Amino acid sequence: MKMDMSDFINDGNRTFMPMDSWRVLRIMAEFVESFEHMRQTPPMLVSVFGSARTAESDADYVSARELGKLLHHAGYGVITGGGPGIMEAAARGAYENGGTTVGLNIELPMEQNPNSYQTLSLTFNYFFVRKVCFLKYSTAFIVYPGGFGTLDELSEVLTMVQTAKINMIPIIFVNRNFWSGLIEWFKNTLITEKMISPEDMELIQLVDTADEAVQYLKECHRYGKRGTVIDK
């Protein structure tokens, strides 16, 4: 967005936008409202990321729908971005079987139309507040093929775990064929160039099916489950 000097006020020492203080209050209100709703959800929630563009006939949609069902039967609820594609599929699988499905919706110029498979539906204005809710209330992350939005959410989770800002929890990639190129780039470029450490690859589990994903998740949680928040 192009700005001119009329958008700013100069008090002699600093330049600021007069709306910033009100924006901070709006951000705080969005955090408070979402936290109040989310704290009433069951504690065993799994975030499922993936493309909003995945068609119902696509194998990944079918897999994500099965995942939602299997997660519910294993005692987990599902958090998605609330939109179509993979988000709809995972929520649908849980919803159709009586499970908890949380949709963290956000208004976008395209793609984001809330799906009808949500037992709790929240709408966000700020991406970063929405991502905090994904991180704060999840016990695991399962990632299906997706685009920039999926990669953004994935990078956030990997960074937060890598830097110990949140507890280490399962991060599962579904669809080896789709993710293998990225995994190889991690290994052959990021590790070779010393951008990440070899042990960072241990943060990721690569699987092909919904059943494999849930079996791995249950194995990770066999001695107990925990969320992402670190008590200090």
Side-chain angles (χ1 to χ4, degrees):
M1 180 178 66
K2 186 176 181 180
M3 293 185 177
D4 58 36
M5 292 305 294
S6 65
D7 295 311
F8 297 89
I9 297 175
N10 194 306
D11 67 356
N13 297 312
R14 66 185 185 276
T15 300
F16 64 94
M17 293 183 66
M19 292 301 296
D20 276 356
S21 296
W22 292 107
R23 184 171 291 113
V24 169
L25 293 177
R26 184 177 181 181
I27 291 167
M28 289 174 61
E30 196 159 288
F31 272 121
V32 170
E33 182 178 6
S34 59
F35 283 10
E36 282 297 304
H37 284 289
M38 292 298 293
R39 73 182 180 85
Q40 299 177 52
T41 61
M44 297 306 301
L45 297 174
V46 174
S47 285
V48 181
F49 299 146
S51 177
R53 306 185 187 192
T54 305
E56 187 174 352
S57 58
D58 192 286
D60 285 325
Y61 185 103
V62 175
S63 174
R65 186 176 175 184
E66 177 70 7
L67 176 76
K69 180 182 77 172
L70 293 175
L71 285 172
H72 167 60
H73 289 321
Y76 297 93
V78 172
I79 308 181
T80 74
I86 293 298
M87 295 174 281
E88 176 186 289
R92 181 178 179 181
Y95 186 90
E96 290 175 331
N97 289 276
T100 298
T101 67
V102 180
L104 305 184
N105 304 272
I106 192 163
E107 295 182 6
L108 298 174
M110 58 179 184
E111 298 175 2
Q112 186 71 4
N113 297 306
N115 67 66
S116 58
Y117 305 104
Q118 303 176 43
T119 56
L120 172 63
S121 180
L122 303 178
T123 300
F124 294 82
N125 184 61
Y126 297 101
F127 262 115
F128 63 90
V129 180
R130 181 180 184 239
K131 288 199 288 186
V132 167
C133 276
F134 274 122
L135 286 166
K136 179 174 171 57
Y137 295 99
S138 293
T139 57
F141 295 89
I142 300 178
V143 190
Y144 275 81
F148 288 153
T150 301
L151 293 174
D152 172 56
E153 292 161 339
L154 170 60
S155 295
E156 176 100 5
V157 172
L158 288 171
T159 301
M160 295 290 277
V161 174
Q162 180 200 46
T163 57
K165 291 299 182 182
I166 62 175
N167 287 319
M168 184 176 291
I169 59 175
I171 302 172
I172 306 166
F173 291 27
V174 183
N175 190 333
R176 283 188 175 89
N177 186 57
F178 181 88
W179 292 113
S180 60
L182 180 64
I183 298 297
E184 289 305 308
W185 182 71
F186 285 172
K187 293 177 179 178
N188 297 332
T189 301
L190 295 189
I191 291 177
T192 300
E193 298 292 333
K194 295 181 170 46
M195 301 298 174
I196 64 174
S197 302
E199 55 267 26
D200 289 331
M201 295 305 300
E202 298 174 8
L203 302 178
I204 300 166
Q205 179 70 16
L206 185 61
V207 302
D208 257 332
T209 68
D211 184 64
E212 285 181 272
V214 174
Q215 289 303 318
Y216 175 75
L217 179 61
K218 290 163 67 175
E219 179 68 14
C220 290
H221 288 162
R222 67 189 184 281
Y223 297 122
K225 307 171 182 68
R226 65 179 179 181
T228 57
V229 177
I230 298 175
D231 294 324
K232 290 185 178 180

